[in-house]
Amino acid sequence: MNRRFFLQSTSAILATQILSIAKPSRTHSSPMAIVNPTLEAALPLGDRATAKGLLYGAAATARKIQQDSAFAAVVARECKLLVAENDLKWRALRPTPEQFDFTRGDALAAFAQAHNLRFRGHTCVWHNALPDWFEQVVTHQNAEQFLTDHIRTVVGHYAGKMHSWDVVNEAIDPVGEGIDGLRDTPWHRFLGADYIDIAFHTAAAADPNALLVLNDYDLDYAIPRDAAKREAILRLLQGLVARGVPVHALGMQAHLRASEPNFDPMILRDFLRQVADLGLKILITELDVVDQDLPRALHTRDLAVANVYQTYLDTVLQEPAVIAVLTWGLSDRYTWLAGFRPRSDGAAPRPLPLDALLHRKPAWSAIASAFDQAPSRPHL
Ligand code: XIL
């Protein structure tokens, strides 16, 4: 393959692809689906991101990587960063209160190492995916011990191997019960707002080299709910930084919605700048695009999803503090949205860069183009 072929401009790729999907004579489930060889041969997303000092990666589970070699191959091809979708959550790691099971996490770490991908931990503290025994066993008296033991053991286990850790996930709930803008979780009930400080301090001691991230969702749109969340998260981050808590970055999950009209680039840019002004980095950690309310037709749907990727990434990549972009999955073959945001017509959702047959689709081209157009970062 010659170099010019690889370096072909992305707008040409987009144009070719849009032309090819303008005649949607086959669905993705057809064994004779149309494949665009030019697009399939183009430089992968991870390489395009790296060229700009950015990291691109995706979430996956050990089971999918181990059982589906074609999927594993596209992960290795497209990504420079791998995040554990489920295998490092409490429920996966803690079969009993006394035990840790690193089997699946270690399998992912080994895959990442074998393919030269950085590895990313998700997540030390979350109110979901807790083991069944949790409620019976963890109390006011032992909660701090459980929290610190868990973080010390798990973050310590991967110390030196992790690019970053989502130390605390989804802690904010500005419209909920909590008076301090924090979500009502077991950790908050047992330890108060301090649990966040404790978690970051413990993680920093266990792995001084990992980038420690506060991760949350609903930060993206110009709607009151997201505005309240942005304000609450800024307040939390300001407090953490002022107290010298070792938080290094904000993770924006960015589960976007194709049918959401209220996107305002200025508002988002302004928020990112305020986070950056605190001395923090920003990672887009769980990017995907819900296509639940879009028309069923593949070409219309794919272009609408691609357009959301392009607009969002063009906006956030203007902020130099944004150092990484991860999609929550890589292929429509495996997406949590099939369960979480199913379409009423029963059609399979198409929220990710590759289709269910692992072929690149307009969302891929949009991400590629956003990386190609992004200003260079000094990092990496
Ligand atoms: C999701 C996984 O993708 C699913 O496989 C699992 O069943 C539930 O969790 N925000 C997060 C992620 O921080 O951990 C969630 O991942 C998606 C929403």
Side-chain angles (χ1 to χ4, degrees):
M1 211 60 68
N2 74 33
R3 196 174 148 75
R4 258 188 55 212
F5 193 54
F6 268 106
L7 296 179
Q8 179 189 39
S9 88
T10 317
S11 53
I13 294 170
L14 257 176
T16 324
Q17 185 165 31
I18 287 164
L19 278 179
S20 79
I21 62 159
K23 308 178 234 99
S25 54
R26 307 260 174 209
T27 68
H28 74 260
S29 55
S30 160
M32 295 176 65
I34 297 164
V35 180
N36 176 341
T38 310
L39 188 68
E40 293 301 318
L43 194 67
L45 295 179
D47 298 277
R48 290 168 190 267
T50 303
K52 295 301 175 72
L54 279 161
L55 269 174
Y56 168 74
T61 65
R63 181 195 273 264
K64 300 294 184 309
I65 293 279
Q66 285 168 331
Q67 294 183 348
D68 185 343
S69 58
F71 175 68
V74 290
V75 169
R77 181 190 74 196
E78 298 287 353
C79 297
K80 297 289 183 196
L81 181 59
L82 177 69
V83 57
E85 181 171 353
N86 289 317
D87 295 322
L88 296 179
K89 292 173 181 172
W90 274 65
R91 183 183 277 281
L93 287 172
R94 305 295 304 268
T96 69
E98 295 78 31
Q99 287 174 302
F100 290 82
D101 179 356
F102 290 108
T103 316
R104 284 172 287 171
D106 288 358
L108 276 181
F111 176 83
Q113 198 178 12
H115 296 278
N116 247 326
L117 318 180
R118 311 293 304 276
F119 190 37
R120 178 171 152 65
H122 173 86
T123 171
C124 298
V125 188
W126 195 27
H127 58 283
N128 281 331
L130 290 169
D132 291 337
W133 53 260
F134 189 92
E135 215 180 322
Q136 318 304 325
V137 174
V138 181
T139 64
H140 259 289
Q141 284 68 40
N142 65 20
E144 183 165 350
Q145 196 65 46
F146 263 99
L147 183 68
T148 53
D149 277 352
H150 180 87
I151 296 175
R152 250 194 300 275
T153 307
V154 176
V155 176
H157 182 83
Y158 293 105
K161 294 183 181 163
M162 281 289 181
H163 167 266
S164 49
W165 262 107
D166 288 333
V167 177
V168 176
N169 193 29
E170 303 184 348
I172 298 289
D173 184 9
V175 291
E177 305 283 293
I179 43 162
D180 49 9
L182 297 180
R183 184 187 297 274
D184 178 22
T185 73
W187 300 115
H188 190 270
R189 252 170 278 141
F190 292 143
L191 302 171
D194 267 2
Y195 84 90
I196 299 177
D197 295 37
I198 295 169
F200 277 98
H201 280 297
T202 311
D207 185 353
N209 295 313
L211 196 74
L212 304 183
V213 181
L214 178 78
N215 198 45
D216 220 313
Y217 66 101
D218 278 353
L219 297 166
D220 314 290
Y221 289 111
I223 56 176
R225 184 185 66 193
D226 290 23
K229 199 121 176 203
R230 286 190 291 270
E231 211 181 293
I233 215 146
L234 273 173
R235 230 181 309 130
L236 174 59
L237 288 172
Q238 280 157 2
L240 293 172
V241 169
R243 290 194 295 279
V245 175
V247 56
H248 307 131
L250 171 66
M252 312 250 303
Q253 291 189 5
H255 296 293
L256 304 179
R257 299 181 292 277
S259 54
E260 172 59 67
N262 297 298
F263 180 70
D264 184 332
M266 295 304 290
I267 289 178
L268 189 54
R269 285 285 315 272
D270 187 53
F271 171 67
L272 298 176
R273 189 89 294 266
Q274 291 185 65
V275 174
D277 284 346
L278 292 171
L280 301 173
K281 301 294 181 209
I282 298 158
L283 290 78
I284 310 301
T285 50
E286 303 186 14
L287 184 58
D288 53 15
V289 180
V290 173
D291 68 354
Q292 197 174 34
D293 303 320
L294 291 177
R296 184 185 183 114
L298 295 195
H299 64 296
T300 329
R301 209 154 29 117
D302 282 357
L303 289 183
V305 167
N307 192 38
V308 174
Y309 272 107
Q310 182 95 47
T311 308
Y312 188 81
L313 289 176
D314 283 351
T315 303
V316 300
L317 295 178
Q318 291 300 314
E319 170 50 59
V322 174
I323 57 163
V325 175
L326 294 117
T327 47
W328 202 243
L330 179 61
S331 154
D332 299 336
R333 183 176 290 189
Y334 306 120
T335 164
W336 75 302
L337 293 173
F340 190 67
R341 294 279 181 259
R343 289 175 57 86
S344 57
D345 61 11
R350 297 172 66 84
L352 290 166
L354 306 185
D355 71 14
L357 288 180
L358 310 177
H359 297 136
R360 292 165 169 174
K361 64 196 232 282
W364 184 95
S365 304
I367 300 170
S369 154
F371 289 159
D372 292 352
Q373 284 158 35
S376 289
R377 272 88 179 133
H379 309 96
L380 293 186

